Amino acid sequence: PGAAQEVTKGEPGRGPRPCASGVADRLRSVTPLYFAYGSNMLGRRLRAADRAPSARSLATGFVPGRRLFFDKAGRDGSGKCDMRPAKGDAVHGVLYAIDPADRPRLDVAEGLGEGYREEWVDVETPSGAHRAFAYVATVHDAARPPYHWYKALVVAGALEHGLPSDYVARLRAVPSTEDPDPARRAAHEALLRA
């Protein structure tokens, strides 16, 4: 308690999964692009009706010069993912295409203006750098660890998209705690089993 939960030493030179044929063209023509680096990496979570059902995974990638933390003050009392500047580090994640009609729902689900702000980042992928929006925390609380289910969603998303094994190991090593709300815990654990 009291120490920020962070994932250190991402490797900027490793990790992006090769793009499928034609992905580079789609990356240039589809807007907006969204960089998911927390629980929204998991496709079935992001495509939920209250988030972005249109979300299509385009590529994996990383944002250089950032470090992943699990200390965003979540509305449920736990820590959520955030990325902050850190020389020599990188945050890995998934680049998604989102239909503009889904954006307002995703903003609400993520708490835009209530703990997260939008930031445009350059995501390095096998087809080059692509500009995408991401949600970055405005309120931090290092005393709030993530709930077990939240960390499990982040890890599941990383595994689903083949992020580097050393990065996944660092995600798994982040301390987490049990969610005291059994109904919320059960709902999110069901998502992991879906």
Side-chain angles (χ1 to χ4, degrees), residues 7 12 29 42 60 72 79-80 97 107 123 136 139 146 156 170 172 174 179 185:
V7 177
S29 65
L42 185 62
T60 61
K72 185 262 184 188
K80 306 295 185 207
D107 288 346
V123 182
V136 178
V139 180
R170 287 191 294 274
R172 285 185 166 135
V174 170
D179 184 343
R185 181 176 63 237

Side-chain angles (χ1 to χ4, degrees), residues 41-178:
M41 288 191 293
L42 185 62
R44 61 185 167 270
R45 177 167 175 84
L46 181 58
R47 286 188 293 275
D50 66 339
R51 289 178 185 259
S54 69
R56 290 180 299 121
S57 168
L58 298 177
T60 61
F62 60 87
V63 177
R66 300 293 179 101
R67 177 173 296 155
L68 181 66
F69 290 83
F70 281 77
D71 67 348
K72 185 262 184 188
R75 293 176 283 196
D76 62 5
S78 71
K80 306 295 185 207
C81 285
D82 182 34
M83 62 175 163
R84 296 201 292 277
K87 274 189 172 181
D89 215 332
V91 172
H92 291 262
V94 183
L95 195 61
Y96 282 97
I98 303 286
D99 186 302
D102 285 347
R103 185 66 194 277
R105 280 191 303 277
L106 185 58
D107 288 346
V108 169
E110 288 302 298
L112 183 66
E114 299 175 15
Y116 274 126
R117 65 181 169 80
E118 173 188 288
E119 183 173 321
W120 288 86
V121 295
D122 292 317
V123 182
E124 296 291 334
T125 73
S127 64
H130 300 281
R131 199 91 169 128
F133 75 91
Y135 296 101
V136 178
T138 59
V139 180
H140 303 97
D141 185 346
R144 295 183 186 198
Y147 290 140
H148 297 320
W149 60 258
Y150 179 80
K151 183 177 88 170
L153 289 172
V154 176
V155 170
L159 291 170
E160 175 185 11
H161 295 284
L163 295 190
S165 59
D166 58 331
Y167 192 79
V168 174
R170 287 191 294 274
L171 294 173
R172 285 185 166 135
V174 170
S176 57
T177 191
E178 192 67 61

